[in-house]
Amino acid sequence: MKISWKNILLWSLPLVVILFFLWQGFLSPINSENNNSNIANSRMTYGRFLEYLEMGWVKRVDIYDNNHTAIVEAIGPELGNRTQKIRVELPANAPGLVKQLRDKEVDLDAHPIKNTSAIWNLVGNLFFPLLFIGGLALLFRRSNSGSGGPGQAMSFGKSKALFQMEAKTGIIFDDVAGVDEAKEEFQEVVTFLKEPESFTAVGAKIPKGVLLIGPPGTGKTLLAKAIAGEANVPFFSISGSEFVEMFVGVGASRVRDLFKKAKENAPCIIFIDEIDAVGRQRGTGIGGGNDEREQTLNQLLTEMDGFEGNTGIIVVAATNRADILDAALLRPGRFDRQVSVDVPDFNGRLAILRVHSKNKKLDVDVSLPTIARRTPGFSGADLANLLNEAAILTARRRKLQITNSEIDSSIDRVVAGMEGTPLIDSKSKRLIAYHEVGHAIVGTLLKNHEPVQKVTLIPRGQARGLTWFTPANDQALISRSQILSRIIAALGGRAAEEVVFGDAEVTTGASNDLQQVTSMARQMVTRFGMSEIGPLCLEDATVNPFLGRNLSNSTEYSDEIAIKIDTQVKTIVAACHEKALQIIKDNRVIIDYVVDLLIERETIEGDEFRNIIEKYTKIPDKYVVSG
Ligand code: ADP
Ligand code: MG
Ligand code: ZN
């Protein structure tokens, strides 16, 4: 090769490019810190940050990036009582933030960008495009000349440690509540980890994998951490979705890395979250024959087969979609133990509330059983969130103890979203008021309906107004007349719009109601045998309730039956609609009165609502649903 200026220039380019990147990294520390996998990869909003500040949970704030970004060190119950670094985007001018931080005695440090000089900026800006073009030319040249081969450009997997390791999770079984069976199962796993000898001595093979199945927020991650905490072993964790990357081979090499590290640290727990992201059935075509995923899965299977049962590594995986996992994963010697955790029942909720209220100051009036009764369907995470929201609200109201009022607002917030500002009096507010009173009055006058808890015109989340009914006991069976009552009450809103404003004026506000109505009616026909078709199960009853839909949608009935189903659904809904219209028409005078009251007050509590209704109607002859 001739030594020419051109050659020297071209060969030195990669070096310069590397230097450039180092330099960039050096100048803006924020970037390099972000590359570090476990520093500040969680974020929070500015508003949230202010709440944290208020609560006194913020310990230190580092401001970067020309006051655009802050890395916040905070500790609090929401963060598992560990100090964590969280990234916050600051608004353009955060008024008085610095003073507020001073007042709260938070450590504050600002890191200015060092190359403020304009010349350096200019040089930097020009340099990069030039280098880029030069670098491209070089690559092009190299591939043309055929020397050097494909290079090492593809070995990404090794360098990044994308799994997390916690030497001590600090979580024990007592921190996990309401999942007693799962805990029992895991007690055994802890014993395996603590004294493997006693199992090896009698020739028992220690299981390699445990699969945790359950909807989000039920404590799967928490349980896995608790095993590590109880057994006092390190906890390696990675999420399935992190395996699946753009470049083929990266996932597989990450699996290799992870197991290698784990073996060096045995005994330990490897936790794979969202394993369904890699562990889907192979070759089904769902997700379009993803080669990368298959390779990752194969590597995982190989690794799990590769270590002897008694090396002290136990792989815990979590998913909410066990139905789509590859059968190979569930074979003996792999994830042969399966533990399901479900949304807690009343006792479970009570136990979880006890755990999470330990470090909170509750007013004597606050009753945990009452909260548990009011929150059917809440997961552990929802309950933790609920108590935390209440605590934040208490601090904001400058109270010393959490009272029922904060608890109520937080339940509403968790169920239905953030409270909005009420509309000013207008035709549309009137219409919403009629709609809600329609639900409430129909629900109240039906014999088998749950009582109204409150009616409100204060918007929340997507809803413009809301009627709350006291939730039914989540363990009781529901009768046919109860379901019918619910359908009628759900139609009460639309029925009131129709009666009061006429068919032409009805609004889209009822769409959510109609969705529920249709789904309830359809289930009556296809799952509960509550229609003229008779006691047949026509749709898969093993629908995972938390998926919210039927994946396979097994239509194992004839077209003829399909038509019959539709007819039955229509008949049920039509009859219920009639009933709702009738109740609204019969009670028009009292409805007008309550609507005026509601517009004036925005919210009417259930007891008062019932009192008013009772004064003007004869509640004893409630409408009974029979047909
Ligand atoms: P998952 O992994 O199942 O989605 P997590 O374990 O991440 O749920 O739970 C999130 C948070 O919710 C936990 O950190 C904990 O505060 C709370 N939580 C969930 N389930 C429970 C439970 N059974 N007992 C106590 N706390 C729980
Ligand atoms: Mg989780
Ligand atoms: Zn409605």
Side-chain angles (χ1 to χ4, degrees), residues 435-436 439 465 490 493-494 509-510 512-513:
H435 180 106
E436 295 309 328
H439 284 307
R494 165 56 67 88
N512 202 357
D513 298 336

Side-chain angles (χ1 to χ4, degrees), residues 51-59 75 104:
E51 281 174 2
Y52 270 59
L53 193 59
E54 186 108 317
M55 296 292 292
W57 292 348
V58 175
K59 298 290 163 230
I75 182 168
K104 292 265 173 197

Side-chain angles (χ1 to χ4, degrees), residues 175-177 179 215-222 352 356 380-381 384:
D175 295 331
V176 194
V179 279
T218 45
K220 299 183 293 298
T221 310
L222 198 65
I352 294 171
H356 286 276

Side-chain angles (χ1 to χ4, degrees), residues 14-26 123-125 127-129 131:
L15 195 67
V16 182
V17 171
I18 291 168
L19 281 176
F20 178 78
F21 277 117
L22 285 176
W23 175 54
Q24 284 269 313
F26 176 65
V123 171
N125 285 343
F127 217 38
F128 185 61
L131 278 175

Side-chain angles (χ1 to χ4, degrees), residues 121-176:
N121 266 336
L122 184 68
V123 171
N125 285 343
L126 276 180
F127 217 38
F128 185 61
L130 283 178
L131 278 175
F132 186 67
I133 293 167
L136 275 182
L138 182 72
L139 276 179
F140 186 65
R141 223 184 80 97
R142 281 188 56 176
S143 60
N144 264 355
S145 64
S147 66
Q152 293 302 304
M154 284 306 179
S155 61
F156 291 101
K158 179 91 182 162
S159 55
K160 282 192 260 171
L162 269 162
F163 48 86
Q164 281 88 43
M165 180 192 155
E166 284 179 45
K168 285 201 164 53
T169 62
I171 291 175
I172 53 169
F173 279 146
D174 282 347
D175 295 331
V176 194

Side-chain angles (χ1 to χ4, degrees), residues 8 73 175 196 262 290 298 303 329 338 351 413 425 489 566 611:
I8 291 173
E73 269 179 45
D175 295 331
N290 187 335
N298 288 338
E303 291 289 348
L329 270 175
Q338 291 162 29
R413 182 163 166 183
D425 195 0
D566 288 343
N611 284 341

Side-chain angles (χ1 to χ4, degrees), residues 349-467:
R349 291 197 296 276
L350 188 56
I352 294 171
L353 286 168
R354 291 222 167 93
V355 167
H356 286 276
S357 60
K358 253 186 217 145
N359 59 355
K360 298 196 170 61
K361 291 209 182 70
L362 296 181
D363 190 78
V364 283
D365 286 346
V366 173
S367 136
L368 296 182
T370 311
I371 306 179
R373 212 165 293 122
R374 282 189 56 193
T375 48
F378 274 45
S379 68
D382 291 333
L383 292 168
N385 185 18
L386 161 69
L387 287 179
N388 189 54
E389 291 283 344
I392 290 177
L393 199 57
T394 309
R396 205 185 289 147
R397 292 178 179 172
R398 311 224 168 271
K399 291 190 188 173
L400 295 175
Q401 282 173 329
I402 303 173
T403 70
N404 275 323
S405 139
E406 285 81 38
I407 298 274
D408 283 346
S409 314
S410 311
I411 294 181
D412 291 357
R413 182 163 166 183
V414 174
V415 173
M418 282 275 275
E419 197 172 278
T421 38
L423 293 171
I424 46 162
D425 195 0
S426 62
K427 183 178 170 198
S428 98
K429 184 167 186 172
R430 215 145 253 282
L431 187 132
I432 296 164
Y434 272 103
H435 180 106
E436 295 309 328
V437 172
H439 284 307
I441 202 150
V442 173
T444 304
L445 293 176
L446 283 169
K447 193 159 179 242
N448 287 305
H449 204 281
E450 293 84 17
V452 174
Q453 196 179 318
K454 78 177 169 202
V455 198
T456 175
L457 292 183
I458 298 174
R460 243 179 218 289
Q462 299 291 309
R464 313 274 217 91
L466 281 165
T467 306

